[in-house]
Amino acid sequence: MILEMKVPSPGESIKEVEIATWLVKDGDYVEKDQAIAEVDSDKATLELPAEASGIITLKAEEGDAVAVGAVVCLIDTDAAKPSGAAPVKEAVKAEAPKVEEKKADAPKSVPVAATYAANTPSPAAKKILDEKNIQPFDIVGTGKDGRITKEDAVNAVPSMGTPTGGTRGSERTKLSMLRRKVAERLVAAKNETAMLTTFNEVDMTNIYALRDEYKEAFKTKHGLGLGFMSFFTKAVTRALQLYPDVNSMIDGQDKVSYDFCDISVAVSGPKGLMVPVMRSAETLSFRGVEAEIKRLAIRARDGQITVDEMTGGTFTISNGGVFGSMLSTPIINPPQSGILGMHNVVERPIVKNGQIVIAPVMFVALSYDHRIIDGRESVGFLVAVKEALENPVEILMNNNPKKALEL
């Protein structure tokens, strides 16, 4: 029986995928559930498993855009497995036997006699070269035994710093569907929203003190690190509840507001930046936030993140500080109306109680859609985030750190 394998739907809004890589060759025998291809959608890269065992016939080329539901390959389920076929895991490694190629003898070079005259300018030539600031070894002499003549010096042109070493190659590769879609969305966000960015700075002294005091107990109890993201997530969800316009979106001529906080978290994956979502983050404890971020980061790193896990966020947190960024203006993740950018922590002089002191300071940035969020809400939101981070015990932990951290 010939089985037609069709492109499954990766998500409700996805109508087309691109064949990124075939993991098998035309005519190969495949096992049921064996990964036969990687396909790119506009949101993620997914593996396509074989629906049955048999001989496969490919119906699309790498780089082809294929509609969801279209046939991409045929599997002859009646075909017998070739005798002596390597197991699935080893089949990818099987290659045609290498044929020893006899290397052709390199042509023998004809030795060129080196003489004292090679690249040596005549007195007249040397004067001209000195005036032009040209070194004798930069030109080839046409005189006897390679001597540089006056005519050679007159015709010589300064190099003007033209590079003579290194490589100057280039390579053209097609962008993946995911990267092309990201590019389109970023341009659309800049062109279709009234995006502004407001900045503030956060004194991280109290958060550092809390982490130093409780991180070992937290790790022993929960098997998780106590990072900045749990503090920022708790501060953001509190601020979103205080300023609900920041947790809203524009849909045509309507404003859609949410009474929950689905926080998109930008993480780095093998295919580039991915933005999985923490659902109902306002209900999560410090332990819950750290556990969910770790789970999503591992799934993104291993290429297991699904489209559903990256869909439906109401606000985004992006941490460029892990890469060393001091300050940036993050781009809104449509259709959301706001994104918070975290940056690196640097010891800076600040004023406390009339005294200049050194403190760990982070710059934070809120980019927002001014069509739906006014300046008062945007600034108030960022100030609320700052207040919570600078007073975490009082505002985020209800004056009981051990209970908040479930220790």
Side-chain angles (χ1 to χ4, degrees), residues 145-172:
D145 295 327
R147 182 183 292 274
I148 299 173
T149 66
K150 180 180 178 181
E151 185 179 1
D152 294 332
V154 170
N155 294 332
V157 178
S159 66
M160 301 300 290
T162 301
T164 57
T167 60
R168 292 175 54 79
S170 63
E171 181 182 8
R172 181 186 294 269

Side-chain angles (χ1 to χ4, degrees), residues 238-247 376-381 384:
R238 171 183 175 272
L240 289 175
Q241 292 169 331
L242 292 174
Y243 295 92
D245 279 353
V246 185
N247 201 39
R376 173 184 172 276
E377 281 70 29
S378 63
V379 173
F381 172 90

